[in-house]
Amino acid sequence: MGAVPSRGFHERWSNEPLVIDKWVGVQATSPREDTLDRVIALMGKADFSLRNPNRIRSLIGAFCGANQVCFHAADGRGYRFLADRVLDLDPLNPQIAARLLRSMVRWRRFDSERQRLMRAELSRILDNEVLSADVFEVASKSLED
């Protein structure tokens, strides 16, 4: 029996949220060069919502927290992606937004260019006029000397 093509997997299991959560997590942790583009495409599916914490953790959380290769890509796209999602999520669910942001709090452990990129995104978040106390606390504490 052959493997189920991933193209049809989502459609076949779309009525099983736990299966889809696991599947998007696998997609988000792939070391492929196009993984971030795939994550963004999965966010466009009808069953993805920024109001669904499980799907956010499965997709965005898995990419930012468990995909060290793609999230920390040298071009900084992963950091910008996370900062954009944190800003999108903050008004809807500040606790989830703050939890996702923790993927960048250890920026000092990386090379100088990645440190610069992460600090820039943390600063961009802090520059937002409307920011929850949860996200403000994580971002500001991570930038303290």
Side-chain angles (χ1 to χ4, degrees):
M1 185 174 218
V4 178
S6 66
R7 225 180 329 192
F9 186 90
H10 187 269
E11 289 78 20
R12 180 176 179 195
W13 294 96
S14 62
N15 292 329
E16 298 290 340
L18 295 176
V19 173
I20 295 298
D21 285 343
K22 292 289 186 186
W23 181 76
V24 298
V26 169
Q27 302 301 307
T29 56
S30 169
R32 291 173 45 138
E33 199 171 294
D34 66 341
T35 297
L36 180 54
D37 294 328
R38 293 170 63 134
V39 167
I40 293 167
L42 286 168
M43 288 177 61
K45 295 272 189 189
D47 60 357
F48 181 85
S49 168
L50 288 177
R51 296 188 185 278
N52 181 335
N54 290 339
R55 195 60 45 88
I56 291 166
R57 281 189 291 269
S58 296
L59 184 60
I60 300 169
F63 176 76
C64 299
N67 192 334
Q68 298 300 301
V69 172
C70 296
F71 177 64
H72 294 291
D75 63 5
R77 280 184 69 210
Y79 309 143
R80 177 158 293 274
F81 170 78
L82 175 57
D84 289 344
R85 298 302 71 79
V86 166
L87 292 171
D88 291 344
L89 273 166
D90 192 37
L92 304 172
N93 192 329
Q95 294 81 21
I96 295 288
R99 186 172 299 134
L100 288 173
L101 187 55
R102 293 186 195 285
S103 296
M104 281 199 291
V105 300
R106 292 191 168 98
W107 57 268
R108 289 175 181 87
R109 295 183 177 185
F110 293 88
D111 62 82
S112 61
E113 183 58 19
R114 285 180 175 84
Q115 286 182 16
R116 184 189 67 76
L117 292 166
M118 283 188 263
R119 285 183 57 131
E121 294 304 327
L122 289 163
S123 295
R124 182 168 71 94
I125 289 168
L126 286 173
D127 288 343
N128 194 341
E129 292 179 18
V130 181
L131 204 59
S132 71
D134 300 289
V135 170
F136 177 81
E137 179 180 7
V138 172
S140 62
K141 284 187 177 187
S142 70
L143 288 175
E144 287 178 356
D145 288 330

